[in-house]
Amino acid sequence: MFSKSARRFGPALALPLALALAACGDSADDAAVVSSEPIANIAAPEGQSWSEMVQVTESDGYLVGNPDAPIKLMEYASLTCGACANFTQTAAEEIKTEYVDTGRVSYELRNQIHNGIDLTMAALVRCGSPESFHPLSEQVWLNFDEVMGTAQQGGQAMEAAMARPENERFVAVAEATGLLDFFAARGLSRDQARQCLADSASVTAIAERSNAQSAELDVAGTPTFFINGRQLDAKNWDQLEVALQEAGAR
């Protein structure tokens, strides 16, 4: 489980990467979703597919799919979480093609922030259009060993970066950990990334929302899944798929 310092950290955001990795994989204890009758597919607007439709929710989550879907899947995830990376590598494509594209299931992704690297990446995946949020997040998780390996090699530079003034801090973190190069190779220019990261108020607001929502919804680790507002005990895709089907996505 998270310690208090892992769930509620201050402006310095100097939480070590090792602690964030240790926070991954915790599971929820709430009851499973009650079994429902099968739900029929819901057609997307003509010429579109549901998995191409993305909107930012009031909670700063990024929802892909039918916003009125009867089954609402939500995941809290950390971009520095190995269990989250494994989930994406295992399940992301199937969620889109077999569930979101049916119109029966929407999928909302929210960030839980564990440290300064995590927060920097959460700002970067938001830096383009809403449609780029999920693909950029997936790129981090699909290349998890590369991203985390480069970040850990820049540990001392990262510590120095976190001591910089707020309007310089997150740009310096991205430089020290190789994130500017990583995202530039995936379509987010270095200039655009710098501009987003220099907006320290917007960046720190991501962490503040993470802290508040984690406390409100009792999100103690990542990944944590909800279906229609009910927190699940699912730890992997096999278990989550059963819960989706029990909710009517079959």
Side-chain angles (χ1 to χ4, degrees):
M1 304 290 285
F2 277 127
S3 66
K4 280 189 177 181
S5 62
R7 289 184 56 174
R8 296 170 184 262
F9 46 87
L13 300 171
L15 202 62
L17 180 60
L19 181 55
L21 295 175
C24 299
D26 293 340
S27 62
D29 298 320
D30 290 30
V33 173
V34 176
S35 183
S36 300
E37 291 298 314
I39 297 171
N41 288 3
I42 301 168
E46 187 174 354
Q48 296 180 281
S49 65
W50 287 122
S51 61
E52 295 173 340
M53 302 176 67
V54 181
Q55 62 179 285
V56 183
T57 69
E58 292 181 357
S59 299
D60 194 40
Y62 283 69
L63 185 147
V64 58
N66 177 6
D68 298 317
I71 302 171
K72 295 175 171 56
L73 170 63
M74 180 176 66
E75 177 187 2
Y76 273 93
S78 161
L79 290 164
T80 58
C81 169
C84 303
N86 182 68
F87 177 77
T88 290
Q89 293 164 12
T90 303
E93 191 60 31
E94 190 168 355
I95 287 175
K96 291 175 187 176
T97 58
E98 300 299 323
Y99 292 93
V100 171
D101 270 338
T102 69
R104 297 177 293 182
V105 179
S106 64
Y107 172 44
E108 180 181 353
L109 180 60
R110 300 185 187 179
N111 294 109
Q112 188 180 67
I113 304 301
H114 293 175
N115 58 35
I117 300 172
D118 206 347
L119 180 55
T120 302
M121 288 195 288
L124 288 169
V125 297
R126 286 167 168 75
C127 194
S129 67
E131 288 76 17
S132 68
F133 175 89
H134 281 268
L136 287 176
S137 299
E138 289 173 10
Q139 280 297 302
V140 172
W141 285 316
L142 292 172
N143 298 278
F144 188 75
D145 290 344
E146 173 193 341
V147 173
M148 292 298 101
T150 303
Q152 288 176 323
Q153 289 172 8
Q156 289 186 336
M158 161 92 177
E159 290 182 14
M162 292 305 295
R164 302 275 288 272
E166 280 197 349
N167 64 331
E168 301 174 6
R169 179 178 304 159
F170 302 107
V171 175
V173 169
E175 289 177 335
T177 55
L179 292 174
L180 287 182
D181 291 337
F182 180 84
F183 282 90
R186 288 154 180 83
L188 182 65
S189 74
R190 294 172 66 91
D191 287 344
Q192 186 179 1
R194 288 174 181 275
Q195 183 175 0
C196 290
L197 295 174
D199 185 357
S200 58
S202 295
V203 177
T204 56
I206 299 169
E208 291 165 359
R209 283 189 293 268
S210 168
N211 287 341
Q213 292 173 21
S214 294
E216 178 185 357
L217 299 177
D218 193 27
V219 179
T222 54
T224 293
F225 303 100
F226 293 76
I227 291 180
N228 292 345
R230 188 187 297 266
Q231 189 172 158
L232 306 179
D233 192 27
K235 304 175 182 67
N236 55 48
W237 171 234
D238 288 342
Q239 295 168 333
L240 179 59
E241 187 172 30
V242 169
L244 286 171
Q245 292 181 357
E246 287 179 345
R250 64 187 190 277

